[in-house]
Amino acid sequence: MNRKRVALASATAMVLSVALGACSGGGSGAKAEGPVTLQWWTWDEARYTEPVAAKFNETHADVKIKIVKQADNPGAAANLRNAVASGKDVPCLVKNFSEVPGLVGEGLLADITQYLEPYAKKKDLFIESSVPAVEAGGKYYAIPTGFQPSFMMINRKVYDTYGVKPPKTWNDVITAGKELKKHGVQVMNLAGEDPSTLVNLVQQAGGSWYKLDGDKWRVAFLSSESLKAADIVQQLVDNDVVANQTYTDRPALINYFDSGKMVSLTTQTWQLPNYELNYKKSLGDWEPIDLPQFSDASSFVTQAHNANSGLLVPKGCAHLKEATEAGVWLNTSKDAIDASYQKDTKQYTWPGALPDPSPWVDSSVPDKLFGEYKPEARDVILKAVESAKDSWVVGPNYTGVFAELQDQWAKIVTKEITARQALEHMQTFTVADLKSKHVNVEG
């Protein structure tokens, strides 16, 4: 649930490296005379964005930001495609709705490398693991917004009731599941429509299903990292220790999580207020713990890839330099983060691009969700940030590939096929699909 994927843009029939060359235009870097106004397209609620834009405008004389509210994610995507195609009234900053490489392949983004590179190289400005998500073909097309740290929360009351130890590894999760199963309790939930658990495990193992080697794509669904991830999934399914509650019925899902019948959730900071608001029976019973690791891991790792990371700079933006500088301010300045504070929730927008988010960590943890375990949350979250890695590469046909993966995942969790069989199918499917699009591929 913490990484539900938004479908990537289609139209990737050409090799990505060719598309990159077609996307490098879109505006002069020369400073305009007089104040420059940048349109910022977002579907976030005004209470989150308007104070930040107001703070920017208050502190900048030569550049101003104007928020243009979008109805939702799909609406913003459709509007941006229309604007770029027409070349009229193109915004300069857009909340991301897809993977950057896919949008580059579609010809929607501008090359801002010369403006972003000096900032991206500053290790005290952007956390290193936030940068890869805004790259394609070695160039930058968006400003890093970073990632939400990943960790696990467990219903410690239920774990203790049945004498089960909190898991430190994924094998521990499986072992805990076997014991909890005796008492009618599921250790985790794997929704049939969402393969994010498999994707996240591959990332945590340091793998990727795609790699760009010169002008050739390599496809690796059967890599050692991928098979290691598949093995964990297979054991969870084979031992009947996971539930399959759908995400489509949110109230029913939350009630199930709250019931004590499912006791381990991989989660991120943005989800915590929702749990606190909606849990009734188990409020205060949950404990934040480190994300379980692979048993043979040489170091502690959490995944940093965010499918929708990066504040987009569209092709056709007339002020690339100013847009880049404004985007950097929005995502890294203390003024911007402080301006996002919400009095009712006592929270700030999570500063996912920063190497040190520690000043804002405590506010990201609600008061009652973790009960006596709340003091543990700070160290768990900061450890997740410090250990995050992004090995994930998105291929030019990932839209269709992910849709196919969803179909395969549904068959995995219902035991129609094994996880390895699904990966074998995805390897064949992905290579054949790339070849059909005349993309240079090996795998």
Side-chain angles (χ1 to χ4, degrees):
M1 180 167 60
N2 58 322
R3 281 188 183 269
K4 291 185 74 178
R5 300 284 176 161
V6 180
L8 304 179
S10 55
T12 52
M14 63 178 65
V15 181
L16 182 57
S17 59
V18 174
L20 292 174
C23 297
S24 60
S28 169
K31 189 173 181 179
E33 294 183 5
V36 167
T37 298
L38 306 174
Q39 286 190 25
W40 174 17
W41 286 11
T42 178
W43 55 91
D44 288 336
E45 292 181 41
R47 66 181 183 132
Y48 297 111
T49 56
E50 291 288 357
V52 178
K55 188 66 176 180
F56 180 90
N57 292 337
E58 173 191 327
T59 55
H60 293 75
D62 297 332
V63 181
K64 303 297 180 182
I65 289 177
K66 177 184 178 182
I67 294 177
V68 178
K69 185 73 163 61
Q70 302 296 297
D72 50 26
N73 180 318
N79 290 340
L80 182 61
R81 291 187 175 99
N82 291 335
V84 172
S86 68
K88 297 178 181 179
D89 203 26
V90 178
C92 280
L93 297 169
V94 177
K95 181 175 180 176
N96 198 357
F97 50 83
S98 190
E99 296 272 10
V100 165
L103 298 176
V104 172
E106 207 181 335
L108 292 178
L109 303 185
D111 178 359
I112 59 170
T113 304
Q114 63 176 311
Y115 309 116
L116 182 64
E117 195 166 40
Y119 296 107
K121 290 182 177 180
K122 294 181 179 180
K123 294 185 178 180
D124 62 339
L125 187 62
F126 286 111
I127 188 170
E128 187 176 355
S129 50
S130 73
V131 176
V134 302
E135 293 182 83
K139 297 181 179 180
Y140 299 125
Y141 294 86
I143 297 97
T145 52
F147 58 92
Q148 292 269 343
S150 297
F151 54 100
M152 180 171 272
M153 50 184 277
I154 62 171
N155 189 322
R156 185 61 186 264
K157 181 179 180 180
V158 177
Y159 267 81
D160 288 349
T161 296
Y162 299 116
V164 180
K165 294 181 179 180
K168 294 184 178 181
T169 69
W170 289 109
N171 284 338
D172 290 344
V173 173
I174 295 165
T175 300
K178 292 177 181 178
E179 183 61 33
L180 291 165
K181 178 184 174 182
K182 300 174 184 177
H183 307 284
V185 177
Q186 303 294 338
V187 71
M188 287 181 64
N189 184 62
L190 300 181
E193 71 274 12
D194 179 23
S196 62
T197 297
L198 176 59
V199 173
N200 291 343
L201 284 169
V202 175
Q203 293 174 16
Q204 189 181 9
S208 179
W209 288 328
Y210 293 89
K211 180 180 179 181
L212 186 57
D213 185 4
D215 66 346
K216 178 183 294 185
W217 284 98
R218 298 186 183 277
V219 179
F221 279 86
L222 297 173
S223 67
S224 59
E225 297 88 354
S226 191
L227 292 176
K228 181 189 294 188
D231 179 62
I232 296 299
V233 169
Q234 195 63 56
Q235 290 188 66
L236 290 169
V237 172
D238 285 348
N239 285 287
D240 297 312
V241 297
V242 291
N244 303 130
Q245 291 288 321
T246 180
Y247 296 146
T248 57
D249 187 345
R250 184 75 180 179
L253 181 75
I254 292 296
N255 286 338
Y256 179 68
F257 288 173
D258 189 33
S259 70
K261 295 297 183 180
M262 194 289 304
V263 293
S264 315
L265 282 167
T266 53
T267 192
Q268 296 174 318
T269 49
W270 69 271
Q271 294 173 308
L272 303 183
N274 186 53
Y275 293 142
E276 169 143 313
L277 178 65
N278 291 286
Y279 284 176
K280 307 301 180 186
K281 299 178 181 178
S282 64
L283 196 63
D285 295 339
W286 295 84
E287 178 185 17
I289 64 172
D290 292 335
L291 188 71
Q293 302 290 295
F294 289 98
S295 297
D296 62 350
S298 58
S299 61
F300 186 88
V301 175
T302 61
Q303 67 273 16
H305 188 78
N306 180 351
N308 301 323
S309 183
L311 186 58
L312 306 177
V313 180
K315 183 180 180 182
C317 165
H319 307 289
L320 299 184
K321 181 176 183 293
E322 292 87 349
T324 302
E325 292 173 350
V328 170
W329 185 92
L330 289 170
N331 290 307
T332 65
S333 76
K334 183 178 183 299
D335 279 351
I337 298 166
D338 287 347
S340 72
Y341 183 73
Q342 302 295 305
K343 291 182 179 180
D344 57 342
T345 61
K346 301 178 182 179
Q347 285 193 312
Y348 301 86
T349 297
W350 179 256
L354 293 184
D356 180 18
S358 58
W360 301 279
V361 169
D362 292 338
S363 73
S364 71
V365 183
D367 292 332
K368 300 177 182 179
L369 177 63
F370 296 135
E372 65 181 286
Y373 306 107
K374 181 182 177 181
E376 301 174 16
R378 181 180 179 85
D379 288 343
V380 167
I381 292 170
L382 288 176
K383 185 177 181 180
V385 172
E386 293 165 1
S387 61
K389 301 288 187 298
D390 187 359
S391 62
W392 198 245
V393 177
V394 176
N397 64 337
Y398 194 57
T399 301
V401 165
F402 188 77
E404 186 71 15
L405 178 63
Q406 287 179 300
D407 290 340
Q408 294 294 301
W409 177 256
K411 295 177 181 179
I412 292 173
V413 299
T414 55
K415 297 184 179 182
E416 293 180 49
I417 60 175
T418 66
R420 182 179 182 114
Q421 287 173 330
L423 291 176
E424 290 172 347
H425 170 83
M426 292 308 303
Q427 178 73 19
T428 302
F429 174 90
T430 304
V431 171
D433 185 64
L434 286 171
K435 288 181 177 179
S436 74
K437 292 176 168 60
H438 309 292
V439 173
N440 193 4
V441 59
E442 180 178 298

